[in-house]
């Protein structure tokens, strides 16, 4: 007799699941037993350009079904509040409930901050940060209603997608870095708000070769010997499967970096130094006498020393 799979009987949504990381995550959740709603807006351009198409989501859903899993496709723009509501409702309608939400959908519109247009800023914030909020909002409302109806905690898992661009900076991506930092704030707030209902929320910073990062990793060739690419999305998806599972019930409000067979748990920022005013408040001269020598004695960018220890590089 075969053992039950970790996600047997559970229902999941994965956004941006037509390609790259989202596809690998949807396949992994299905392999672990979940019924999956494969969401993707299907635009061909990584900047969100081109006509929307159901084909990418349909192909991944068909791949899951061909392997013996359960999946339906959903064409929808998660940055649109109403379409996000319809996505969550489609999962409940198709599978009777929603248990897992993996937010992955995103676009890129890179430019230096002094050259970036308002539209380039707004579009990336909208898809990444608002898109994460929209789906989280409707999933959270569903779990809260279920908890109130049953009088106790329910099963709920949220896995959000941040980036090392937030951790270590990315000069040509002020919109992307800001959105990914906002996603971490959204995740920790959501984790606190939903814990009493039995729901966890965590974020990952994945490093993988996808359409979004093809320029970043252009100089890193895939192995010629047929071994798994260290930058393959398949290195990331097992962590998503774990965070979505009952085994991760005690993991909440966390940020984890993952790539190439490595998972790093990132601490929340800690105070590096504290200075107290000699009197009721600081004077300019006092601050100059304290802070100027403090920073003069520290190496540049020491704020991100922890990231350097982990071997993290800017994305």
């Amino acid at each position: 007799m075969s053992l039950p799979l970790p996600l047997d009987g559970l229902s999941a949504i994965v956004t941006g699941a037509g390609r790259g990381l989202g596809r690998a995550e949807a396949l992994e959740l299905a392999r672990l037993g979940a019924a999956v709603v494969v969401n993707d807006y299907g635009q061909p351009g990584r900047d969100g350009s081109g006509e929307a198409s159901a084909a990418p989501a349909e192909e991944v859903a068909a791949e899951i079904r061909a392997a013996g899993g359960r999946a339906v496709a959903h064409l929808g723009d998660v940055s649109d509040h109403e379409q996000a509501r319809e996505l969550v409702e489609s999962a409940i309608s198709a599978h009777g409930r929603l248990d897992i939400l993996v937010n992955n959908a995103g676009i890129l519109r890179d430019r230096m901050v002094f050259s970036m247009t308002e539209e380039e800023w707004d579009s990336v914030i909208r898809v990444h940060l608002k898109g994460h909020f929209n789906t989280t909002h409707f999933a959270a409302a569903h779990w809260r209603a279920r908890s109130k109806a049953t009088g106790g905690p329910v099963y709920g898992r949220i896995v959000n997608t941040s980036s090392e661009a937030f951790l270590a900076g990315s000069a040509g991506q002020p919109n992307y870095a800001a959105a990914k930092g906002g996603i971490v704030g959204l995740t920790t707030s959501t984790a606190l708000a939903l814990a009493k209902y039995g729901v966890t929320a965590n974020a990952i910073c994945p490093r993988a070769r996808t359409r979004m990062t093809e320029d970043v990793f252009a100089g890193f060739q895939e192995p010629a010997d047929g071994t798994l690419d260290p930058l393959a999305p398949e290195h990331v998806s097992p962590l998503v499967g774990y965070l979505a599972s009952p085994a991760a019930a005690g993991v909440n409000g966390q940020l984890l970096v993952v790539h190439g067979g490595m998972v790093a748990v990132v601490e929340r920022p800690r105070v590096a130094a504290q200075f107290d005013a000699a009197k009721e408040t600081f004077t300019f001269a006092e601050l100059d006498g304290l802070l100027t020598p403090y920073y003069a004695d520290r190496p540049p960018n020491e704020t991100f020393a922890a990231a350097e220890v982990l071997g993290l590089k800017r994305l």
Side-chain angles (χ1 to χ4, degrees):
M1 180 181 295
S2 59
L3 296 174
L5 295 170
L7 304 183
D8 268 348
L10 301 178
S11 165
I13 289 172
V14 183
T15 72
R19 303 177 178 91
L21 276 171
R23 172 183 173 275
E25 292 162 354
L27 293 173
E28 177 71 4
L29 296 184
R31 188 187 70 80
L32 295 175
V36 182
V37 177
V38 180
N39 163 264
D40 201 285
Y41 203 35
Q43 293 171 305
R46 65 177 186 170
D47 61 351
S49 62
E51 291 296 321
S53 170
E58 291 282 7
E59 289 171 4
V60 175
E63 187 175 355
I64 290 172
R65 292 193 295 268
R70 295 173 295 157
V72 296
H74 181 273
L75 171 66
D77 178 4
V78 294
S79 72
D80 182 284
H81 202 61
E82 182 63 19
Q83 291 185 51
R85 180 188 65 79
E86 292 171 357
L87 170 60
V88 171
E89 289 183 350
S90 73
I92 299 168
S93 175
H95 304 301
R97 55 191 284 169
L98 173 64
D99 304 288
I100 301 160
L101 170 64
V102 179
N103 284 310
N104 173 74
I107 63 171
L108 288 178
R109 294 195 179 176
D110 295 351
R111 204 177 298 276
M112 301 296 282
V113 69
F114 42 77
S115 303
M116 181 164 288
T117 67
E118 181 181 15
E119 193 278 333
E120 288 166 340
W121 173 271
D122 288 347
S123 61
V124 169
I125 297 295
R126 184 184 71 248
V127 175
H128 286 274
L129 185 52
K130 186 182 178 186
H132 273 60
F133 162 74
N134 284 343
T135 54
T136 296
H137 167 76
F138 291 110
H142 167 67
W143 288 321
R144 180 172 180 265
R146 273 175 50 192
S147 177
K148 286 183 174 293
T150 61
V154 298
Y155 190 98
R157 299 284 188 271
I158 299 173
V159 183
N160 289 331
T161 306
S162 183
S163 170
E164 293 171 85
F166 149 70
L167 279 174
S170 184
Q173 296 181 305
N175 48 5
Y176 182 74
K180 291 306 189 181
I183 285 168
V184 174
L186 172 65
T187 302
T188 55
S189 176
T190 301
L192 291 173
L194 300 186
K196 66 180 179 180
Y197 302 116
V199 179
T200 67
N202 295 286
I204 63 170
C205 292
R207 187 190 301 182
R209 192 192 307 276
T210 69
R211 184 177 57 153
M212 294 274 283
T213 60
E214 57 188 8
D215 296 340
V216 176
F217 297 128
F220 297 87
Q221 299 302 316
E222 297 185 41
D225 59 2
T227 58
L228 183 62
D229 182 359
L231 293 170
E234 287 74 18
H235 288 295
V236 175
S237 54
L239 176 61
V240 174
Y242 166 75
L243 292 173
S245 76
V251 184
N252 195 27
Q254 299 298 299
L255 176 64
L256 302 100
V257 176
V258 54
H259 63 84
M262 187 280 291
V263 173
V265 178
V266 180
E267 287 187 329
R268 296 189 182 187
R270 295 183 294 172
V271 175
Q274 179 176 322
F275 303 95
D276 298 312
K279 297 182 179 180
E280 184 177 4
T281 188
F282 282 108
T283 64
F284 174 88
E286 187 179 9
L287 288 171
D288 182 30
L290 292 170
L291 295 180
T292 301
Y294 171 76
Y295 282 108
D297 292 338
R298 298 169 74 86
N301 299 322
E302 191 180 29
T303 303
F304 299 107
E308 295 302 321
V309 168
L310 292 173
L312 309 182
K313 302 297 182 183
R314 178 172 56 83
L315 292 187

